């Protein structure tokens, strides 16, 4: 089983931190589907220090989600350390994760996220400063490199380990690749062989079989699933079952998918209010509907909807229109999309 510092997970499957996705509504569903560790979407160190209400809300952790990792980012050592202290003492997160993988220009221009990938010395300096200031285990999420000419994954992971980091998650793409091309599992394997702390592999895991291949190929201690879980938390459950039992469970039926989609929406409503939640749910429903029969016409309708009850009515009507087809497993259609940024 995966163990980070003194925190034990019940399996090797980790939900990736995804911007605009990994709030408590979705994280709790992931946990109910068996995920060993869930990661919250990244939060700016300066936003934490400014005490912005929306930011502080993002630090909320439901006890049922634990163990949970809260991810922070920043390019200034002093503010990163102070933000980490707040996460350490004022939240019930189990792990503090530092982002050094986000490829978005507005993040890298602030000398944060993937910008660190060019400087192992800075990684050591920043991570060690945070480790010295907090009691919770500190981990790092990174990419293999800045671009194909600057791949310092091994040196960077070794810097994390020297600094006292308790684990490193490695996405097998460079910053330049964003989410295109293929994830390089060979470099993840090199990282695993170069450090003694746990390594979690990430990238191109869209099926339970992918997860097993990544673990077998790299020798990693855990597997991180991002876009493959969008609208498809069954991917998490099916992966855990496949890794432990060697049995590939059937995909969910359309009825099962719509039932969980409504649970997801209701939790978002409770979290953010009906107006915001229903608008935010549109993208999630597009993912839940992906690959299902007649989904295109339903997507068109829900994109105009603003009411929770009407949205639920549309989904229920869709299931009824499918008749017996709603009870048959449907290909889930992995959410291989660039519409979400996972860090």
């Amino acid at each position: 089983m995966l163990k980070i510092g003194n925190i034990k997970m019940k399996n090797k499957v980790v939900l990736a931190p995804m911007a605009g996705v990994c709030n408590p509504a979705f994280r709790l569903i992931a946990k109910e589907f068996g995920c060993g560790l869930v990661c919250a979407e990244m939060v700016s160190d300066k936003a934490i220090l400014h005490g912005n209400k929306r930011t502080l809300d993002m630090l909320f952790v439901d006890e049922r989600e634990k163990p949970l990792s809260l991810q922070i980012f920043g390019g200034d050592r002093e503010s990163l350390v102070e933000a980490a202290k707040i996460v350490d003492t004022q939240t019930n997160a189990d792990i503090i994760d530092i982002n050094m993988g986000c490829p978005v220009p507005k993040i890298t221009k602030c000398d944060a996220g993937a910008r660190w990938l060019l400087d192992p010395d800075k990684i050591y300096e920043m991570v060690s400063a945070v480790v010295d200031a907090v009691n919770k285990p500190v981990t790092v999420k990174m990419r293999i490199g800045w671009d194909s000419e600057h791949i310092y994954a091994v040196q960077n992971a070794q810097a994390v380990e020297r600094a006292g980091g308790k684990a490193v998650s490695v996405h097998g793409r460079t910053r330049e690749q964003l989410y295109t091309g293929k994830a390089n599992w060979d470099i993840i394997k090199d990282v695993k062989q170069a450090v003694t702390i746990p390594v979690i592999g990430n990238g191109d895991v869209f099926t339970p079989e992918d997860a097993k291949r990544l673990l077998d190929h790299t020798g990693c201690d855990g597997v991180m699933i991002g876009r493959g879980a969008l609208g498809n938390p069954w991917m998490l459950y099916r992966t855990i079952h496949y890794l432990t039992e060697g049995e590939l469970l059937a995909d969910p039926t359309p009825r099962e998918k719509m039932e969980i989609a409504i649970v997801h929406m209701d939790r978002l409503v409770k979290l953010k209010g009906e107006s915001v939640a229903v608008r935010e749910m549109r993208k999630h429903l597009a993912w839940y509907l992906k690959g299902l029969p007649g989904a295109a016409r339903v997507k068109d309708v829900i994109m105009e909807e603003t009411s929770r009850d009407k949205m639920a009515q549309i989904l229920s009507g869709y299931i009824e229109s499918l008749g017996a087809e709603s009870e048959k497993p449907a290909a889930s259609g992995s959410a291989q999309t660039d519409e979400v940024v996972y860090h």
Side-chain angles (χ1 to χ4, degrees):
M1 291 303 101
L2 178 61
K3 185 179 179 186
I4 297 175
N6 59 348
I7 309 298
K8 294 179 182 176
M9 312 332 144
K10 60 183 180 181
N11 56 59
K12 298 181 176 185
V13 176
V14 181
L15 177 69
M18 291 179 280
V21 172
C22 288
N23 52 48
F26 185 68
R27 297 193 312 248
L28 185 54
I29 288 172
K31 186 62 73 171
E32 289 166 345
F33 275 80
C35 200
L37 176 67
V38 294
C39 302
E41 56 188 312
M42 70 176 192
V43 185
S44 157
D45 57 352
K46 290 183 170 56
I48 292 173
L49 296 181
H50 289 153
N52 175 281
K53 183 184 183 304
R54 181 174 171 274
T55 301
L56 296 180
D57 286 345
M58 291 171 73
L59 302 182
F60 171 76
V61 179
D62 187 313
E63 279 294 319
R64 295 171 293 175
E65 300 177 71
K66 292 163 64 69
L68 176 137
S69 168
L70 267 176
Q71 189 184 75
I72 58 176
F73 73 92
D76 173 72
R77 182 172 69 174
E78 185 177 338
S79 59
L80 192 71
V81 167
E82 290 307 311
K85 286 181 183 177
I86 290 173
V87 174
D88 189 47
T89 59
Q90 298 180 31
T91 79
N92 58 347
D94 300 280
I95 294 163
I96 300 170
D97 189 57
I98 301 173
N99 178 287
M100 52 182 258
C102 181
V104 178
K106 71 177 181 181
I107 305 296
T108 57
K109 283 177 183 173
C110 299
D111 202 25
R115 192 75 198 172
W116 293 21
L117 299 172
L118 292 165
D119 190 352
D121 291 336
K122 173 161 185 168
I123 290 168
Y124 174 80
E125 173 197 332
M126 300 286 269
V127 175
S128 60
V130 172
V131 168
D132 289 346
V134 302
N135 292 314
K136 290 176 178 174
V138 175
T139 61
V140 165
K141 171 81 163 58
M142 70 178 197
R143 285 174 174 250
I144 55 172
W146 180 257
D147 55 29
S148 58
E149 304 299 313
H150 301 87
I151 293 179
Y152 306 141
V154 168
Q155 300 96 309
N156 290 341
Q158 288 172 333
V160 171
E161 182 173 38
R162 282 200 318 277
K166 298 299 184 187
V168 61
S169 302
V170 185
H171 180 187
R173 286 181 173 84
T174 63
R175 181 219 60 90
E176 183 181 56
Q177 280 182 280
L178 300 177
Y179 304 98
T180 64
K182 287 192 68 172
N184 189 324
W185 292 357
D186 290 335
I187 294 175
I188 299 176
K189 180 179 181 179
D190 292 343
V191 170
K192 173 58 189 166
Q193 293 175 343
V195 296
T196 60
I197 56 175
V199 177
I200 300 165
N202 176 220
D204 291 349
V205 178
F206 293 104
T207 66
E209 299 97 318
D210 290 340
K212 187 173 190 309
R213 280 195 295 270
L214 181 144
L215 290 169
D216 289 347
H217 184 87
T218 63
C220 277
D221 305 275
V223 57
M224 181 174 278
I225 297 171
R227 290 172 292 161
L230 294 175
N232 188 22
W234 292 265
M235 167 59 182
L236 303 168
Y237 177 76
R238 294 174 69 237
T239 297
I240 294 158
H241 189 82
Y242 186 65
L243 294 177
T244 54
E245 306 297 331
E247 177 190 17
L248 197 56
L249 298 174
D251 277 307
T253 66
R255 181 178 295 278
E256 288 170 331
K257 295 194 86 171
M258 293 308 98
E259 286 172 351
I260 292 298
I262 291 171
V263 169
H264 188 168
M265 176 169 60
D266 286 343
R267 287 179 177 166
L268 267 183
V269 168
K270 191 172 180 182
L271 193 68
K272 301 189 174 192
E274 182 174 20
S275 177
V276 172
V278 172
R279 285 200 305 274
E280 192 171 303
M281 197 64 202
R282 293 170 185 167
K283 67 183 178 187
H284 289 282
L285 285 170
W287 294 324
Y288 278 105
L289 287 159
K290 190 175 177 69
L292 300 186
R297 58 184 172 77
V298 187
K299 288 180 191 174
D300 288 342
V301 177
I302 61 174
M303 289 306 163
E304 304 297 323
E305 199 44 68
T306 57
S307 154
R308 178 266 169 212
D309 289 346
K310 192 70 195 305
M311 195 80 97
Q313 189 181 342
I314 292 166
L315 299 180
S316 298
Y318 164 63
I319 290 304
E320 295 311 312
S321 74
L322 290 180
E325 290 294 310
S326 70
E327 308 297 344
K328 295 178 182 176
S332 51
S334 302
Q336 298 184 44
T337 173
D338 297 333
E339 295 169 31
V340 66
V341 177
Y342 69 108
H343 303 295

